[in-house]
Amino acid sequence: MGLTLVLGACGGSQVPAADAPTAPATDSPGPPSAGTTAGNPQATPSAPATPTRPSQATPGAGRHVVLISVDGLNPDAIGLLRRAGRLPVLDRLLREGAGTLNARTSLEETRTLPNHTGMLTGLRVLGPRGTHVTFNDDNGGTLASLNGHYIPGAFDVVHDHGLRTTLLAEKDKFDFLIRSWDDTHGAPDRTGPDNGRDKVDTARIASAATLTTILTAQLAGDAAALSFLHIAAPDAAGHAHGFMSRPYLDAVRRADREIGQVLGAISRRPALRARTTVIVTADHGGRGANHGDAARPDNYRIPFIVWGRSVARGADLYVVNPGRRDPGSARPGYTGPQPIRNIDAAGLALKLLGLPPLPLTQPDRLSALRVR
């Protein structure tokens, strides 16, 4: 559900996450974090290790990717509000960047946690190379305990190359992902100097206003290589009032303003602007009361927009990626020509940072997206 950003500090401890009760089964946002370490409410955060500062020779050094997930963003809302001149930021991203309003979720699920897991790992839900996250709340476990083996995400590659990461989300269910890659459950760093097991250097679950403040402050100072931002307002309004209702469209406009704050922080630093790429996508769409039926077009059709460094201006992502096929209104499986999906976000982020791809995605032989 949402668009995503990541920022962090290499080798540091997590920003404490919530110790609130498990969120309800709907995709409504959870309460802000109350100040305990994610995944272990009794633990005291460990002292930060001395971060390994990347040299200019370090792959990815000096580049930045901000991944934004707008939870429950139906592309029809983008079209409607753009035509009315009421969505200035996403309109700018589409005019100045490369995008499509006809991307796809994971085939199997159109719910929040399964699709965000795919965004950050590059993996489908089911099958031998799947995440098997078919639930939509934090079950108290990890990706490794669920699958019987460790599943790396984009944060692993970035962190293990001595660069910093951040995960900022509005819903408590993201604790499942934070825990999967924390200093207890993350894999040992076997790439160059040991930067520790905690792959998410800064992790926070809080309100959108708090998260946007954290992210813009990081962008104004020492920006992380990979930043993930989750914005939940459209999904919350959709569940409360109906997707594509007036309150839902108002929430989409609020999300647009929050993205605008991020772009403003980037644009105020020309050197940062020249080195930064922003990716905006969603975990699902929605129409009416919910989005749980993965076979409904309103649920599985999502935007995928890329803006910034090395991105073609005003380009259609299907045109610059001839190996992908615009699916029209269809819902393609994982065989045959593939559409652009939200699970492309992880591979694209690593490619834009000049880092190696995730190893578990390679058997699918689906190359990372081109943006020009």
Side-chain angles (χ1 to χ4, degrees):
M1 290 185 185
L3 298 172
T4 306
L5 277 175
V6 181
L7 281 152
C10 179
S13 61
Q14 291 177 174
V15 172
D19 95 314
T22 302
T26 65
D27 279 352
S28 58
S33 163
T36 58
T37 302
N40 185 357
Q42 306 304 319
T44 300
S46 57
T50 302
T52 301
R53 305 301 297 175
S55 69
Q56 291 303 310
T58 300
R63 299 182 188 180
H64 307 277
V65 171
V66 174
L67 172 59
I68 302 173
S69 174
V70 180
D71 206 316
L73 182 57
N74 186 329
D76 288 344
I78 296 177
L80 180 65
L81 291 169
R82 282 185 82 196
R83 289 190 294 272
R86 304 184 75 182
L87 207 67
V89 179
L90 286 172
D91 177 70
R92 176 189 174 188
L93 295 181
L94 286 163
R95 286 185 293 102
E96 296 181 0
T100 178
L101 299 184
N102 200 31
R104 292 292 182 265
T105 64
S106 295
L107 173 68
E108 305 93 335
E109 288 278 355
T110 50
R111 295 185 296 166
T112 299
L113 189 58
N115 273 273
H116 282 99
T117 304
M119 276 185 218
L120 295 173
T121 63
L123 300 175
R124 64 184 73 175
V125 176
L126 300 177
R129 294 182 294 273
T131 66
H132 298 96
V133 177
T134 57
F135 45 90
N136 198 34
D137 288 296
D138 178 12
N139 68 357
T142 65
L143 281 166
S145 65
L146 177 66
N147 288 277
H149 60 86
Y150 187 76
I151 293 184
F155 294 125
D156 284 77
V157 179
V158 177
H159 174 272
D160 290 359
H161 280 83
L163 304 170
R164 293 175 302 138
T165 63
T166 295
L167 188 159
L168 305 171
E170 288 200 67
K171 293 181 177 180
D172 287 340
K173 62 189 70 180
F174 281 83
D175 276 341
F176 174 80
L177 296 175
I178 294 169
R179 185 185 310 111
S180 293
W181 299 314
D182 68 13
D183 56 1
T184 298
H185 303 99
D189 178 1
R190 306 193 188 283
T191 303
D194 184 359
N195 297 292
R197 300 173 72 114
D198 193 350
K199 310 306 180 184
V200 185
D201 300 303
T202 300
R204 184 71 184 270
I205 296 176
S207 67
T210 297
L211 300 179
T212 303
T213 298
I214 292 170
L215 181 58
T216 55
Q218 290 177 330
L219 292 169
D222 193 6
L226 178 59
S227 303
F228 171 86
L229 175 65
H230 166 252
I231 300 173
D235 182 70
H239 284 291
H241 304 285
F243 290 83
M244 297 302 294
S245 66
R246 183 176 294 277
Y248 169 83
L249 294 175
D250 289 342
V252 172
R253 294 181 64 203
R254 289 199 302 276
D256 191 70
R257 292 192 291 271
E258 287 156 4
I259 297 169
Q261 293 179 49
V262 175
L263 293 191
I266 294 169
S267 298
R268 281 190 288 273
R269 297 180 60 194
L272 179 65
R273 168 70 175 85
R275 301 192 305 268
T276 301
T277 310
V278 176
I279 304 169
V280 176
T281 188
D283 50 349
H284 59 78
R287 188 176 292 269
N290 59 62
H291 53 80
D293 184 351
R296 290 190 59 185
D298 283 317
N299 298 338
Y300 63 63
R301 191 167 65 91
I302 55 170
F304 197 107
I305 307 166
V306 191
W307 174 91
R309 187 188 66 83
S310 300
V311 180
R313 186 181 181 91
D316 184 323
L317 277 175
Y318 283 107
V319 172
V320 297
N321 288 278
R324 303 296 184 97
R325 180 177 296 176
D326 189 327
S329 60
R331 179 176 167 244
Y334 293 118
T335 59
Q338 288 296 291
I340 293 164
R341 298 187 189 271
N342 54 16
I343 62 175
D344 283 306
L348 177 58
L350 294 176
K351 177 181 177 180
L352 290 166
L353 290 170
L355 295 173
L358 283 158
L360 295 182
T361 61
Q362 288 305 92
D364 287 333
R365 303 191 184 282
L366 200 60
S367 61
L369 294 178
R370 298 171 59 182
V371 293
R372 59 179 310 120

